[in-house]
Amino acid sequence: QVQLVESGGGLVQAGGSLRLSCATSRRTFSSYTMGWFRQAPGKEREFIATISGSAGSTYYADAVKGRFTISRDNANNTAYLQMNNLKPEDTAVYYCATSSIYRAIRTAQYNYWGQGTQVTVSS
């Protein structure tokens, strides 16, 4: 059973920054695409960013492009999401997930998920 554990969420003022981490037990971690999603109350889970296994390719949703950066440390089986210039509309539960599909952006393309970490941005 593959486990993913997110951490780093919290309460921050608008304009602030947070760095989320996603530690995984997935074997051959570097072979899998990693993705970050978020879900606000009453809304569907939405794609944020994805990174290829080798970390050579990244792709972002327009809503976060230029503010968020996805990265990974394959030696430590961990993915990261650096979030800068946070806005109140970024408030959501953030999830990491793994996929065997390159540049996966749909939830159905991911087969293992973490439990989520809450990010709250106050105005």
Side-chain angles (χ1 to χ4, degrees), residues 49-69:
T50 184
I51 186 167
S52 63
S54 65
S57 176
T58 58
Y59 183 75
Y60 298 90
D62 288 343
V64 305
K65 199 174 296 182
R67 300 188 298 123
F68 291 11
T69 302

Side-chain angles (χ1 to χ4, degrees), residues 29-34 50-59 70 72 74 101-103:
F29 174 72
S30 63
S31 299
Y32 294 93
T33 294
M34 293 297 296
T50 184
I51 186 167
S52 63
S54 65
S57 176
T58 58
Y59 183 75
I70 188 171
R72 64 191 296 161
N74 285 339
I101 300 171
Y102 175 76
R103 198 168 276 196

Side-chain angles (χ1 to χ4, degrees), residues 32-92:
Y32 294 93
T33 294
M34 293 297 296
W36 285 94
F37 291 74
R38 68 186 180 189
Q39 188 167 18
K43 294 188 176 182
E44 292 187 353
R45 193 168 297 188
E46 66 170 343
F47 166 77
I48 295 299
T50 184
I51 186 167
S52 63
S54 65
S57 176
T58 58
Y59 183 75
Y60 298 90
D62 288 343
V64 305
K65 199 174 296 182
R67 300 188 298 123
F68 291 11
T69 302
I70 188 171
S71 62
R72 64 191 296 161
D73 179 353
N74 285 339
N76 291 297
N77 288 8
T78 303
Y80 303 96
L81 186 68
Q82 177 67 43
M83 306 185 294
N84 298 328
N85 190 22
L86 283 160
K87 305 175 180 180
E89 52 264 41
D90 294 319
T91 296

